[in-house]
């Protein structure tokens, strides 16, 4: 009885440190500027399908982190060909999206500024499909969540799921802050010239990530 009580006290006292460590580790992997973050920033600034995009990013991370904590990393490592296929598809997609962003920057469409908001069905569908592709066609997502976070969580023993929960909360907090915080840029982005700068940033990020992804995969 005493041993059980001591074990329970140990787990309770280790809950917060494990969750905090998971939150910090997850945030450190997510915050780096990448294709997914650039897309969320653009959608947030436009005020289009923000909830859907944030939800997809956070839910996808939660699923992958859970798989990593459950030990799926060994399976992913055993199938390197799968990551190669994902890398080729993801690299091609990123380059294609980067070219479209570059074209928007060079030839901005009329009404590019934030003059009207709304979520037409087509825009929402496009945003959702693009977000899914940017998330699931990026092999680095699997390396960061399933492999890296999964291996770090394993060191926590019985508290590995607490560590994973902290990482999931970090993902949710980051994407929600990025998506909805981008609306604070509404005043700046009311000018078409600002959108050209943002699209240049998005294009540069997507093209760089895509080329690097293909170079590492081939």
């Amino acid at each position: 009885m005493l041993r059980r009580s001591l074990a329970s006290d140990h787990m309770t006292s280790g809950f917060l440190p494990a969750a905090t460590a998971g939150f910090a580790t997850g945030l450190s992997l997510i915050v780096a500027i990448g294709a997914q973050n650039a897309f969320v920033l653009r959608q947030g600034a436009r005020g289009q399908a923000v909830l859907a995009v944030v939800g997809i990013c956070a839910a996808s991370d939660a699923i992958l982190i859970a798989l990593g904590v459950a030990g799926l990393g060994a399976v992913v490592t055993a199938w390197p060909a799968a990551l190669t296929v994902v890398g080729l598809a993801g690299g091609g997609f990123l380059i294609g999206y980067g070219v479209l962003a570059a074209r928007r920057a060079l030839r901005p469409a009329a009404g590019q500024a934030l003059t009207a908001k709304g979520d037409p069905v087509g825009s929402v569908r496009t945003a959702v499909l693009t977000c899914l592709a940017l998330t699931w066609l990026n092999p680095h997502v699997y390396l960061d969540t399933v492999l890296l976070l999964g291996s770090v969580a394993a060191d926590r023993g019985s508290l590995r799921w607490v560590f994973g929960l902290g990482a999931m909360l970090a993902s949710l907090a980051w994407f929600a802050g990025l998506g909805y915080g981008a609306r604070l840029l509404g005043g700046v982005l009311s000018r078409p010239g600002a959108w050209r700068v943002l699209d240049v940033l998005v294009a540069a990020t997507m093209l760089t990530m895509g080329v690097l992804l293909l170079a590492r995969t081939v």
Side-chain angles (χ1 to χ4, degrees):
M1 190 73 175
L2 179 58
R3 289 182 179 179
R4 187 175 301 175
S5 177
L6 290 175
S8 177
D9 291 342
H10 175 71
M11 288 190 64
T12 303
S13 63
F15 185 94
L16 185 59
T20 302
F23 188 94
T25 304
L27 198 62
S28 66
L29 295 174
I30 297 168
V31 167
I33 295 300
Q36 189 184 47
N37 284 339
F39 178 75
V40 175
L41 177 64
R42 191 176 194 280
Q43 290 301 119
R46 289 176 61 87
Q48 281 190 334
V50 181
L51 178 61
V53 168
V54 169
I56 289 172
C57 291
S60 297
D61 274 1
I63 292 172
L64 291 169
I65 291 170
L67 291 176
V69 174
L72 191 65
V75 177
V76 175
T77 304
W79 287 352
L83 287 179
T84 299
V85 173
V86 172
L88 291 174
F93 178 83
L94 289 176
I95 291 176
Y97 192 93
V99 170
L100 292 177
R103 188 173 68 176
R104 284 197 306 267
L106 294 174
R107 297 178 181 178
Q112 176 83 340
L114 290 178
T115 54
K117 294 184 179 181
D119 288 330
V121 174
S123 297
V124 174
R125 183 184 298 113
T126 300
V128 167
L129 293 176
T130 301
C131 188
L132 287 171
L134 288 174
T135 301
W136 292 93
L137 290 181
N138 182 3
H140 293 291
V141 172
Y142 300 94
L143 297 176
D144 288 345
T145 54
V146 178
L147 292 180
L148 184 55
L149 280 174
S151 62
V152 176
D155 292 336
R156 295 280 167 172
S158 60
L159 292 172
R160 64 185 184 280
W161 285 105
V162 178
F163 179 92
L165 178 61
M168 295 175 192
L169 291 176
S171 174
L172 176 60
W174 169 254
F175 287 119
L178 185 63
Y180 289 101
R183 294 186 178 184
L184 299 176
L185 300 175
V188 176
L189 295 174
S190 61
R191 296 170 293 180
W195 276 103
R196 299 186 70 176
V197 173
L198 180 59
D199 277 326
V200 167
L201 172 64
V202 172
T205 301
M206 299 290 184
L207 290 173
T208 301
M209 296 289 292
V211 171
L212 290 176
L213 192 53
L214 289 179
R216 292 171 182 171
T217 303
V218 176

